Amino acid sequence: DAGITQSPRHKVTETGTPVTLRCHQTENHRYMYWYRQDPGHGLRLIHYSYGVKDTDKGEVSDGYSVSRSKTEDFLLTLESATSSQTSVYFCAIRGSGTQETQYFGPGTRLLVL
Amino acid sequence: QKEVEQNSGPLSVPEGAIASLNCTYSDRVSQSFFWYRQYSGKSPELIMSIYSNGDKEDGRFTAQLNKASQYVSLLIRDSQPSDSATYLCAVNISGGSYIPTFGRGTSLIVHP
């Protein structure tokens, strides 16, 4: 358990509304990531952060923004939700030390109607 | 563009058999290789990492890496029904920002 929580765990929203997902970690890791997982596509990186206020885009960043104002929290915002953003969203952290491994949060299931 | 390929399966094996899962990657400078297990409705969990050519064993799991042929495999000995899951391969270039590339996963079914 890498001390990662995500909230909410499930959400149903309507097209056009903004949605914010939260990832919280308790172990002061520098790197945090947001992925989405869809059938047939596997895990795809949306955005990642390498420190407070330091973020960068992944391969599927359109329609998403992120913020990291403190080490423990990484927020993912869907600016105007669309049905194509219905997915399972996973937050991950990069483990400490020389092992370059990722540990994932429990995920958020988002349904956009 | 970095690519990681896995057979989507499902791979079906009887209980007690050896399950062999394979992964190929396109980027020759890849240095770090990982296998994750993901149960249905759950998040991926790391089960093996390997960095050097050859075999690495951990309990019933063995990861095999062949950089010359650009493949990494996972063997599961004495497969159990509880091993039924999707197995994700991830590949990374060491150093700098850690941005691994994931395969789409192989579904494994172990039947009694």
Side-chain angles (χ1 to χ4, degrees):
Chain A
D1 183 1
I4 308 169
T5 57
Q6 293 183 231
S7 59
R9 294 293 312 280
H10 302 270
K11 187 169 181 66
V12 180
T13 191
E14 294 186 349
T15 297
T17 59
V19 176
T20 295
L21 308 182
R22 179 183 184 235
C23 177
H24 179 78
Q25 57 138 333
T26 60
E27 299 184 3
N28 207 35
H29 294 288
R30 179 183 172 193
Y31 283 83
M32 299 183 75
Y33 310 79
W34 276 108
Y35 290 90
R36 60 178 290 175
Q37 188 174 39
D38 306 286
H41 290 278
L43 281 165
R44 293 183 291 175
L45 182 66
I46 305 172
H47 282 278
Y48 68 99
S49 170
Y50 46 96
V52 173
K53 295 190 183 347
D54 293 322
T55 65
D56 207 347
K57 297 179 180 180
E59 63 176 301
V60 291
S61 60
D62 287 349
Y64 301 94
S65 62
V66 290
S67 66
R68 192 167 178 201
S69 59
K70 46 186 178 176
T71 299
E72 57 266 36
D73 289 326
F74 192 30
L75 303 181
L76 176 71
T77 297
L78 287 66
E79 295 146 5
S80 178
T82 67
S83 58
S84 65
Q85 293 177 311
T86 291
S87 187
V88 179
Y89 291 85
F90 289 105
C91 174
I93 59 94
R94 174 182 174 180
S96 302
T98 58
Q99 291 237 332
E100 296 175 326
T101 53
Q102 283 182 318
Y103 299 92
F104 288 83
T108 294
R109 291 186 176 274
L110 176 66
L111 174 62
V112 183
L113 300 175
Chain B
Q1 182 175 347
K2 293 179 285 186
E3 292 185 348
V4 178
E5 299 289 340
Q6 295 181 256
N7 188 320
S8 62
L11 173 66
S12 181
V13 300
E15 184 175 356
I18 296 175
S20 177
L21 304 163
N22 299 311
C23 172
T24 60
Y25 59 95
S26 62
D27 196 331
R28 285 193 169 274
V29 300
S30 298
Q31 296 290 330
S32 311
F33 307 86
F34 308 90
W35 283 101
Y36 288 83
R37 177 177 61 199
Q38 186 175 24
Y39 292 114
S40 180
K42 302 296 185 182
S43 58
E45 57 177 326
L46 179 72
I47 54 173
M48 290 286 287
S49 60
I50 187 166
Y51 302 90
S52 304
N53 277 329
D55 295 359
K56 179 182 178 182
E57 187 175 317
D58 184 0
R60 295 187 296 112
F61 298 98
T62 299
Q64 298 176 319
L65 175 61
N66 185 323
K67 291 186 179 180
S69 300
Q70 295 178 244
Y71 82 80
V72 56
S73 62
L74 180 70
L75 302 179
I76 306 175
R77 291 183 300 280
D78 188 23
S79 295
Q80 301 298 309
S82 60
D83 294 325
S84 298
T86 296
Y87 290 80
L88 305 174
C89 173
V91 174
N92 187 54
I93 302 171
S94 292
S97 297
Y98 176 70
I99 309 294
T101 301
F102 283 84
R104 298 181 182 183
T106 297
S107 174
L108 173 66
I109 299 172
V110 181
H111 54 87

